[in-house]
Amino acid sequence: MNRSGRLFQRLKSRRLIALLSPETAAEAVAVYDALDPLGITLEVAFRTEAAVEGLRLILSRHPEALVLAGTVMTKAQAEAALAAGAAGIVSPDFVPAVVEACVSADVMCLPGGLADAGKQLALKAELCGCGLAELKEKFPYQWSYKLFPAVSGGRDNMGLAEAWRGPFKGLTVVYTGGITLENLAALAGRDPAGIFCASALAAKSENPAAMADGARRWISILESGRKAAPGDTSRLGEKAEARTAPAGRVVAFGEVLLRLSPPGCGRFSQTGSFEAAFGGAEMNAACAIAGFGLSSRFVTALPSHDIGRTAMSFLRSFGVDTSFILRREGRLGIYFYEKGASQRPSQVIYDRAGSVFAEVEAGAFDWEKIFDGAAWFHWSGITPALSPSAAAATAEAVRAAKRAGATVSVDLNYRRKLWSTEEARATMTPLLEFTDIAFGNEEDAAEVFGIAAPGADAEAGRLDLDGFRHAAEELARRFGLQKTAITLRESLSASVNRWSGCLWNGREFCRSRVYEIQVVDRIGTGDAFSSAFIWAHLSGRSDPEALEFAAAASCLKHAIPGDVNRVTVDEVDALVRGSGSGRVRR
C-alpha cells in the first residue's frame, strides 16, 4: 500500500483534519507533534511562505508522516508540495492541472467545491487509464471529493454529498468550511462516514497542550456516535442527542457446519451418541450481532435437503437475514468436537471437504445487492482456506464491500488443519489490503505473518503486554489497518482460563479487564469477541468501551454451550459494570 493508501485509511478511520496556515515552519512541526498522536491529520495550507518549508521540516523529522498540502491552486504549487513530501493534495476548486500532477505521481487529490464531483472523477479515471468502477476499486483514495463550503449562511450543504453518492456510490466526502465544535455532532450524524476539516483544530498552536485538549473534544464527539436530533437537521442550531441504536446492516460470509460432540466431556472413543448443533465462525458472529438487535445478513451456501433447511431455520431464529443464501445439491460440512477438561485438551476433527459451501465460486453471489445498505462486512481466514474457489469468492466479496463503502473486518482465524502457513500468507495478504479492522490471537499473527508477541507464552499462562502491543502495531502498520484487536487467553488448564483483550487503534493501546473463567464451552468465544466489538463500534461506543464490551461478551460465552453467544446487551453491560458474581437473579 502506498503513502496515499495509508493516508486514506487513516482519514477514513479518524475522520478529522486540522487545517493550518503556518507562520513559521516550526509552527507546522509543533502542530503536527501535538495532533498526530491523536490520529488527526494535518493539512498545511499553501497560503503562507512557510508552508513548503513546514512540510519539509515535518518530513525530515518524521519520515513516515502522512501530511496533506492544502489550498493548492496551480500545477507549480502541487509539484512543490509533492517534492516536499505531501501524501495528499487538497484544492478549494477543481483545477485539472493539479489533478494531473497528483495522478501522475499516484498521490491522493482532493479537489473541492459545490459542483464538479463527477468531472474530477472522470478526469482521474482517464488519467489512470481505467473506467470509473476500476478507479473506485484500484485507487480508492482517488474516489473522493471535498465539499466546500460545508456550511454557509447558517445552513449546511450536505444534501449535495447525498446527491453525488447517487451516481458515485461510496464516494468519500471531506467537509470543510464552517465546521465547528458546536455543529460537528449534527453534521457527523448526517454522514457517519464523512471526514471533517477545520482550522479550529489548530487554533491554539502557540499552546500545543491546550490545542491537544481541545482536539480530544472533537474526537469524543465522533467516537460517541452522536447524531442530529429529529427534525430539520439542516438547521445547525438544533440540539444533537446521543445515538440510541446502531445504524446500518452487518453482512457476514462463511460456512455453516454441523457440530457433533460426545455428551459432556466424553471422548470420541467412549461415546454411543453425539449431540448436534450448528456452528461456524462467521455464522456465530452474524447470529450474535442479530441477538444484540442489529440488522444482520448472512451469506453462504446450504444443501437443498432437510438438514440445510434446518440450518436456515436456525439462522432465522436469531433474526438473521437469509435472503441471499444459495441452496444447492450436496453436503453440509461437519466438525467433531471433543471437549477437554482439566489437563486434557479439547480437539476438533473436520469433515468438510467437498461441502456445498467449499465449492462456491466467484460470481455465485450478487454482491452489489447484498451490500445495499450495509455498514459493515465481516469475514474470516477460515473461508479462503476451504478451497481456491472459496478464496476467489472471498476476494470478490471484500472488493465489493469496499466499493459499497462498508467497513471491512476480518477474524484472522488460522486453522493449520485446513492449510499451510505459506498458503495462508499468500492468500490472506492481498485480502487484507481491503480490510480495515483485524481480530485475532497471538498464534494467528505469529504463524501466518511472522508477527510474534515477544515475551508471551499463553500456554504457560504468561503474557507480556509490550509484546502484544508490538504485534498489534505491526499488523496495523504492515496492512494499513485502522484497528487491531487481540484476544488474550492464559490457559491455566482446559477448564480454567484467564481472558481479556487488547486493542491498538493507531494512537493508543488499551487492555480490557481480565476475567478468570471456568470453561463450559470455549468454541465460538473469539467470534463472540469480534461480534460484540462490531456491535459496540456501530453503536457509537468509544474504542476502550467497545473493547470492554467485547471482552465481557466473550467472557460470558465461555459459560454457554454451543457455538453461538446467547447474551443480551444488558447482560454484557452488567458484567462490564462489575456484576460478575454469578449470583442467582430473582
Side-chain angles (χ1 to χ4, degrees):
M1 183 179 295
N2 67 9
R3 295 180 69 237
S4 284
R6 295 197 300 273
L7 170 65
F8 183 67
Q9 292 274 23
R10 176 188 175 97
L11 291 172
K12 292 279 285 183
S13 172
R14 304 296 170 238
R15 302 176 60 202
L16 286 175
I17 299 171
L19 179 63
L20 174 71
S21 299
E23 294 299 324
T24 65
E27 182 186 11
V29 174
V31 172
Y32 175 86
D33 287 343
L35 298 182
D36 185 75
L38 301 178
I40 297 175
T41 298
L42 178 63
E43 177 183 333
V44 178
F46 272 44
R47 298 173 182 165
T48 66
E49 295 181 358
V52 173
E53 187 55 36
L55 270 175
R56 288 199 191 102
L57 191 57
I58 291 171
L59 269 297
S60 68
R61 296 187 181 182
H62 306 282
E64 297 299 317
L66 300 172
V67 184
L68 289 162
T71 323
V72 176
M73 292 294 295
T74 67
K75 180 180 180 181
Q77 286 182 321
E79 291 173 342
L82 294 171
I89 304 292
V90 185
S91 294
D93 204 344
F94 170 42
V95 183
V98 172
V99 176
E100 291 171 8
C102 293
V103 173
S104 65
D106 194 15
V107 168
M108 179 182 185
C109 185
L110 269 173
L114 299 177
D116 300 323
K119 290 180 182 178
Q120 61 96 25
L121 289 176
L123 178 59
K124 289 175 178 176
E126 180 182 350
L127 293 169
C128 290
C130 64
L132 289 175
E134 192 175 359
L135 177 75
K136 180 181 178 182
E137 180 175 339
K138 290 189 174 181
F139 307 96
Y141 45 89
Q142 302 293 16
W143 195 256
S144 53
Y145 195 59
K146 183 179 80 169
L147 196 159
F148 173 76
V151 179
S152 59
R155 301 183 70 88
D156 69 69
N157 295 310
M158 297 186 75
L160 290 171
E162 296 169 11
W164 295 338
R165 287 181 176 138
F168 310 116
K169 295 187 183 302
L171 180 70
T172 296
V173 179
V174 175
Y175 299 93
T176 186
I179 308 294
T180 66
L181 183 65
E182 290 70 29
N183 64 28
L184 179 63
L187 297 175
R190 291 282 300 281
D191 186 355
I195 298 165
F196 300 91
C197 175
S199 57
L201 280 163
K204 298 180 179 179
S205 59
E206 74 284 355
N207 187 340
M211 179 173 55
D213 285 342
R216 290 187 183 95
R217 297 176 62 194
W218 291 66
I219 293 169
S220 177
I221 288 174
L222 293 185
E223 290 191 343
S224 69
R226 294 174 67 89
K227 65 179 180 181
D232 179 8
T233 54
S234 66
R235 299 181 183 278
L236 295 176
E238 292 185 352
K239 184 180 179 181
E241 60 182 20
R243 179 183 300 189
T244 57
R249 175 187 292 120
V250 176
V251 176
F253 176 56
E255 183 173 29
V256 177
L257 294 168
L258 180 64
R259 164 176 159 172
L260 298 176
S261 305
C265 293
R267 304 217 66 181
F268 293 139
S269 59
Q270 72 183 110
T271 190
S273 63
F274 288 100
E275 295 176 343
F278 293 107
E282 303 88 349
M283 186 210 77
N284 298 339
C287 291
I289 288 167
F292 288 139
L294 182 58
S295 177
S296 174
R297 172 175 289 165
F298 188 58
V299 182
T300 190
L302 290 173
S304 53
H305 53 53
D306 280 355
I307 301 301
R309 187 159 48 251
T310 303
M312 185 87 81
S313 297
F314 178 80
L315 286 159
R316 289 172 178 164
S317 71
F318 289 89
V320 174
D321 178 355
T322 61
S323 57
F324 289 92
I325 291 179
L326 298 181
R327 302 297 300 280
R328 293 180 169 181
E329 292 295 323
R331 62 170 301 227
L332 188 70
I334 298 172
Y335 82 95
F336 297 88
Y337 172 58
E338 181 184 274
K339 181 187 173 186
S342 190
Q343 276 66 49
R344 176 173 61 83
S346 301
Q347 66 165 318
V348 169
I349 298 173
Y350 291 118
D351 178 18
R352 62 201 302 179
S355 69
V356 290
F357 182 80
E359 294 182 352
V360 296
E361 68 285 345
F365 301 97
D366 188 342
W367 292 112
E368 184 174 354
K369 289 184 179 179
I370 288 168
F371 288 122
D372 184 26
W376 199 289
F377 175 56
H378 183 64
W379 63 285
S380 95
I382 294 174
T383 298
L386 298 178
S387 67
S389 63
T394 307
E396 190 178 61
V398 295
R399 288 182 171 89
K402 293 311 291 182
R403 287 197 300 271
T407 297
V408 178
S409 63
V410 63
D411 191 329
L412 296 174
N413 264 344
Y414 174 62
R415 298 290 185 266
R416 62 176 60 88
K417 291 184 178 181
L418 295 178
W419 57 356
S420 69
T421 56
E422 293 76 17
E423 291 172 317
R425 186 179 306 114
T427 302
M428 293 286 286
T429 296
L431 296 177
L432 287 173
E433 295 293 327
F434 297 91
T435 301
D436 304 300
I437 298 174
F439 304 100
N441 59 37
E442 76 285 349
E443 291 181 344
D444 296 328
E447 294 197 36
V448 179
F449 302 112
I451 301 174
D457 186 343
E459 290 191 2
R462 184 175 67 251
L463 299 181
D464 185 315
L465 283 183
D466 288 337
F468 281 101
R469 174 170 184 157
H470 164 78
E473 288 186 15
E474 179 58 21
L475 268 173
R477 185 201 65 78
R478 185 177 300 182
F479 298 109
L481 300 168
Q482 298 172 11
K483 308 178 200 294
T484 306
I486 298 176
T487 54
L488 307 176
R489 182 186 300 277
E490 300 167 80
S491 295
L492 308 183
S493 70
S495 304
V496 180
N497 293 177
R498 282 195 289 266
W499 178 260
S500 60
C502 62
L503 174 76
W504 170 251
N505 65 7
R507 67 175 183 276
E508 63 178 336
F509 178 78
C510 46
R511 186 190 185 183
S512 74
R513 171 183 167 187
V514 181
Y515 298 92
E516 186 161 311
I517 298 167
Q518 298 289 328
V519 179
V520 172
D521 192 336
R522 64 171 282 180
I523 298 295
T525 52
D527 310 321
F529 181 92
S530 59
S531 58
F533 187 91
I534 291 167
W535 180 89
H537 191 283
L538 287 174
S539 299
R541 301 196 181 191
S542 68
D543 285 342
E545 289 170 338
L547 178 65
E548 289 292 350
F549 187 85
S554 49
C555 166
L556 291 171
K557 169 61 191 75
H558 284 79
I560 298 171
D563 275 42
V564 178
N565 201 13
R566 298 169 182 264
V567 294
T568 66
V569 172
D570 288 343
E571 288 172 327
V572 178
D573 280 336
L575 180 56
V576 170
R577 290 193 297 269
S579 177
S581 65
R583 294 179 58 132
V584 176
R585 298 172 65 184
R586 302 183 189 274

